[in-house]
Amino acid sequence: MNEHGELNALQENNTTKPTKSRLKLFLMTWNMQGLPSPEEDYVKSIIPLNNHHIYCIGTQECERSIGTSVIIESKQRWEKTLNNVFGKDYFQVQSCTLVAIHIIIFVRKELIPQLSDICVSSVATGWKNQIGNKGGVSISFKLGKNQYLFINNHLPAHDDKVKERNESFERILTEIDYVGKEKKKNIEQTDERHTSETNKESHGVLSFIPSKKPHVIKDFAFIFVMGDLNYRVKGNRKVVDKVLEMKELNVLLSNDQLTIERKKKDNIWSYFEEGEITFLPTYKFEKNSETYDQSKKQRIPSYTDRILFKPSKKISLEHYDSISGVKYSDHRPVCATFSIDAKGIQLEIQDETQDSVSTSSSVCLVQ
């Protein structure tokens, strides 16, 4: 254990090197409470580096408050920090920002030639569905023969807004133009990766593409949904505090709004699965503390921060946890690692010093 509490435990569980037959993914969602981007060393202590092929980082209230982000939307500092953290072995596929909601994806450079149809898009679900204080941002791409979709969301707050949260997420799924109106990455320009105007490590050239909107659930083989989804634990503060003291997480989860919604037939969330929750509620904490909200509002500790995925025989959830030692904001980050059948994806690099049959993978050799 280091100064960040349980961080080492998370990293120790994820030190397995990427394999030749499975594609490994790391996802993290983090509400940063409008605080500035943390320093590189701090980020390195959170994210287990160099042992996954794909990293997707979703944040809410990143760098600035929601109000300030309406005017100044840029997440340039955060993106620069992440690029420096991941280094030259990883390529920034794309990023997308909607006010204070941000998503960014990095992949091992060996995968670059196999990426195509890379698009970003967003939908606002705030005031009259026009303001982006709430909503979703997405990045989608094709890797090998399959389509991948990653969505980061910040849904309506407050205990009584379950219906609004459900409707917002359904709107995000149905109204984002996942492959059409926004931007596609021209990954053939990867040689220019280190010449970006906003970041010395460039990420290619963007161009516009026309395309029809797909039926999301059907058309994407792999869908990952994350964010501050804002679903709460039903109950009162005194009872929840007592349950936490007794470490009866099953009682909390039986009263968790998202768990309840996912069990309802025809609910939009019924299309997605979630790993077993064995960690404590991730919201709301006092500053630099393990103590839950002590303000007059006495907010009920809740699992607001979640990661879900479209079920498939080809995907395995390997790890799902909060990073409880990160006390940077009033939320705890939540991470998930997945492995996916890599059939049709070339994870190895051919060794030109040997014959055409011999190969060696720098992905598999990462230390």
Side-chain angles (χ1 to χ4, degrees):
M1 181 178 294
N2 63 14
E3 61 179 338
H4 300 296
E6 298 180 7
L7 288 180
N8 283 342
L10 175 69
Q11 293 181 341
E12 288 170 4
N13 288 336
N14 290 285
T15 54
T16 303
K17 301 170 185 176
T19 67
K20 297 180 180 180
S21 61
R22 304 290 290 182
L23 183 74
K24 295 191 68 177
L25 295 81
F26 174 90
L27 282 68
M28 181 175 80
T29 176
W30 188 13
N31 186 317
M32 299 170 68
Q33 200 183 3
L35 297 171
S37 172
E39 298 298 325
E40 291 177 21
D41 287 344
Y42 192 89
V43 177
K44 288 179 180 179
S45 73
I46 298 172
I47 301 175
L49 299 172
N50 296 322
N51 44 22
H52 297 83
H53 299 95
I54 298 174
Y55 288 84
C56 178
I57 311 298
T59 54
Q60 310 83 39
E61 301 182 36
C62 174
E63 290 202 28
R64 303 171 185 85
S65 67
I66 293 176
T68 303
S69 295
V70 172
I71 302 171
I72 307 173
E73 192 175 72
S74 172
K75 303 296 180 287
Q76 181 177 336
R77 180 181 174 184
W78 176 235
E79 292 194 6
K80 182 176 181 179
T81 295
L82 289 175
N83 272 277
N84 291 340
V85 164
F86 283 106
K88 295 182 180 180
D89 288 333
Y90 285 84
F91 175 83
Q92 180 186 317
V93 176
Q94 189 52 278
S95 66
C96 185
T97 303
L98 174 68
V99 185
I101 311 168
H102 181 264
I103 188 171
I104 189 168
I105 291 179
F106 294 85
V107 302
R108 287 286 307 187
K109 61 184 180 182
E110 292 82 5
L111 297 180
I112 293 172
Q114 302 169 78
L115 289 175
S116 61
D117 301 334
I118 303 170
C119 296
V120 303
S121 195
S122 63
V123 63
T125 62
W127 184 74
K128 293 188 176 181
N129 291 326
Q130 297 295 317
I131 305 299
N133 60 311
K134 295 294 188 288
V137 291
S138 74
I139 300 176
S140 61
F141 56 76
K142 185 176 182 180
L143 176 60
K145 298 180 180 180
N146 291 313
Q147 298 279 353
Y148 293 71
L149 173 62
F150 302 79
I151 314 170
N152 179 35
N153 310 270
H154 197 179
L155 302 183
H158 305 305
D159 295 2
D160 60 344
K161 300 297 183 181
V162 175
K163 180 173 180 290
E164 288 81 354
R165 286 190 273 276
N166 290 344
E167 291 175 348
S168 292
F169 179 59
E170 186 165 9
R171 182 169 184 270
I172 289 167
L173 275 181
T174 57
E175 293 195 15
I176 285 183
D177 189 351
Y178 292 100
V179 296
K181 68 180 181 181
E182 296 261 0
K183 302 171 182 177
K184 177 183 178 182
K185 180 70 98 175
N186 177 5
I187 58 176
E188 295 177 357
Q189 302 297 324
T190 56
D191 289 342
E192 299 179 4
R193 184 180 187 277
H194 300 284
T195 60
S196 171
E197 179 178 339
T198 59
N199 187 335
K200 295 301 182 181
E201 304 194 22
S202 173
H203 316 294
V205 178
L206 299 175
S207 59
F208 290 95
I209 56 169
S211 182
K212 64 179 181 179
K213 181 170 63 178
H215 184 276
V216 175
I217 300 296
K218 178 183 70 175
D219 289 358
F220 284 89
F222 303 107
I223 303 176
F224 302 91
V225 177
M226 69 180 79
D228 180 356
L229 305 182
N230 255 322
Y231 289 89
R232 309 302 173 97
V233 171
K234 299 192 300 181
N236 66 68
R237 179 59 186 270
K238 289 185 178 180
V239 172
V240 170
D241 283 347
K242 185 64 177 179
V243 171
L244 284 170
E245 183 180 337
M246 298 170 62
K247 299 182 179 180
E248 296 288 347
L249 297 186
N250 60 313
V251 176
L252 297 182
L253 292 170
S254 66
N255 289 279
D256 169 69
Q257 292 174 341
L258 182 55
T259 301
I260 294 170
E261 294 303 302
R262 287 184 52 240
K263 294 178 180 178
K264 294 180 179 179
K265 185 178 180 181
D266 298 327
N267 187 288
I268 190 64
W269 290 109
S270 66
Y271 292 103
F272 297 91
E273 288 188 1
E274 184 178 20
E276 180 184 2
I277 294 178
T278 59
F279 49 90
L280 294 172
T282 56
Y283 174 83
K284 172 181 171 63
F285 289 91
E286 290 294 303
K287 185 176 180 180
N288 297 319
S289 171
E290 296 181 356
T291 302
Y292 288 103
D293 184 26
Q294 297 297 304
S295 71
K296 292 181 179 180
K297 293 183 178 181
Q298 287 285 293
R299 295 176 182 84
I300 297 174
S302 295
Y303 296 98
T304 57
D305 310 277
R306 314 285 275 268
I307 299 175
L308 298 91
F309 60 100
K310 176 184 173 180
S312 169
K313 293 181 180 179
K314 297 181 178 180
I315 186 171
S316 297
L317 173 63
E318 296 187 342
H319 187 81
Y320 186 40
D321 205 352
S322 69
I323 311 180
S324 59
V326 175
K327 304 171 186 177
Y328 192 79
S329 75
D330 57 352
H331 289 251
R332 297 294 181 258
V334 169
C335 301
T337 60
F338 298 88
S339 68
I340 293 177
D341 184 354
K343 184 178 180 181
I345 303 173
Q346 184 66 40
L347 298 181
E348 299 179 336
I349 299 177
Q350 185 169 333
D351 188 346
E352 297 180 355
T353 64
Q354 303 181 25
D355 58 43
S356 59
V357 178
S358 298
T359 59
S360 66
S361 172
S362 64
V363 175
C364 298
L365 295 177
V366 170
Q367 299 299 317

